[in-house]
Amino acid sequence: MLARGDRLAATARDKAALTSLSERHGDRFLPLQLDVRDSAAVRDAVRSAEATFGGIDVLVNNAGHMLVGAVEEVEEEQARTQMDVSYFGALSATRAVLPGMRERRAGRILQVSSFGGLVAYPALGIYQATKWALEAMSDSLAAEVAAYGIHVTLIEPLMCPTGLAAASPQVPQDPAYAHAWQALYAGAEAGGFTPGDPAATAEALLAIVDAPEPPLRVLFGTGGLEALRTEYAGRLAGLEQWDHVARLAQGEPSGS
């Protein structure tokens, strides 16, 4: 965005990480220190950006970390922190920008979800639960704000080597769930996904921002479509197999 002349407000837990960008781009760049788990601080950051630039046209929610571990292995506090960062942080920022976007009857909200927001794998249940929550919220939001000219897009990265896992909290592995970890690694290898270039995502993001009618969902990376076809076909087959139970639960029509 900055390279083509746009203005950008960027946040980081350590504002010093943004110093070089601030020095290079001057008044077009607003560095803000922010922990997305603090909803009041999120609102303050949005107000600062709006006051500096006269409004926010595009919000990109990309804060997060990836907690890896079987559901039983993960501590409750770790699960809450994962939800606070990956879901409630995005929710707070989204809610904070909506009044201004509604008033201007325009805006783009880009939610960085994950391919794991569409499927679920062993040993990633807590992390992926936050992405499924983000998916559902954003799906509803898109229908709620379309009347105001606001577009919502869920970005679904496949494999993008950003160092997210290495920088995220670690869970001690319990031998009882060694099979789950093995299944996770085996699934990653069998999926055939090729790691993408993180630098290439900038152009892809701008393509979404500039599109007159951006998509509700878009994959970032290749190989995901075939995997989703298999996943969704399996879900439908399972529901069809147990449709007799669905009918049993329906009962008899009232008054019959």
Side-chain angles (χ1 to χ4, degrees):
M1 289 185 175
L2 289 168
R4 69 177 193 175
D6 294 328
R7 296 178 295 176
L8 175 67
T11 65
R13 294 187 66 179
D14 182 2
K15 190 176 176 180
L18 304 173
T19 300
S20 62
L21 285 171
S22 184
E23 291 173 347
R24 288 203 306 270
H25 299 287
D27 293 342
R28 292 193 298 111
F29 182 76
L30 176 64
L32 297 167
Q33 187 157 319
L34 176 65
D35 184 338
V36 297
R37 295 174 295 178
D38 185 341
S39 58
V42 170
R43 291 192 294 272
D44 287 343
V46 168
R47 283 195 288 265
S48 294
E50 290 177 329
T52 301
F53 296 139
I56 295 174
D57 299 316
V58 180
L59 170 69
V60 180
N61 278 317
N62 68 335
H65 64 236
M66 187 170 72
L67 183 63
V68 182
V71 170
E72 188 180 353
E73 290 177 318
V74 173
E75 298 291 338
E76 181 176 341
E77 187 59 32
Q78 291 177 315
R80 291 185 182 279
T81 299
Q82 177 71 78
M83 184 62 77
D84 283 343
V85 173
S86 296
Y87 174 69
F88 283 109
L91 177 62
S92 295
T94 298
R95 286 168 50 85
V97 302
L98 284 173
M101 288 185 175
R102 282 193 294 104
E103 183 178 354
R104 294 189 302 277
R105 302 189 74 84
R108 302 293 172 91
I109 297 174
L110 277 57
Q111 311 281 38
V112 180
S113 181
S114 166
F115 189 71
L118 303 173
V119 298
Y121 298 107
L124 284 176
I126 303 303
Y127 165 70
Q128 291 177 334
T130 66
K131 297 302 185 180
W132 283 48
L134 182 65
E135 294 273 337
M137 180 272 285
S138 300
D139 224 327
S140 295
L141 175 68
E144 295 165 357
V145 300
Y148 299 103
I150 302 170
H151 296 275
V152 179
T153 296
L154 283 153
I155 296 170
E156 324 283 6
L158 278 83
M159 289 187 68
C160 195
T162 60
L164 176 65
S168 298
Q170 302 297 309
V171 174
Q173 297 185 31
D174 186 332
Y177 289 102
H179 63 283
W181 290 78
Q182 292 168 1
L184 173 62
Y185 299 141
E189 293 178 2
F193 300 146
T194 302
D197 178 5
T201 61
E203 187 176 350
L205 281 171
L206 291 175
I208 295 169
V209 169
D210 293 339
E213 293 294 332
L216 176 59
R217 286 180 174 83
V218 60
L219 295 172
F220 269 27
T222 59
L225 277 177
E226 187 57 39
L228 288 176
R229 289 188 184 101
T230 301
E231 172 72 17
Y232 291 153
R235 291 186 193 182
L236 287 172
L239 292 171
E240 290 172 354
Q241 180 181 356
W242 289 92
D243 186 58
H244 63 286
V245 174
R247 296 175 183 276
L248 179 64
Q250 177 70 20
E252 295 295 331
S254 174
S256 60

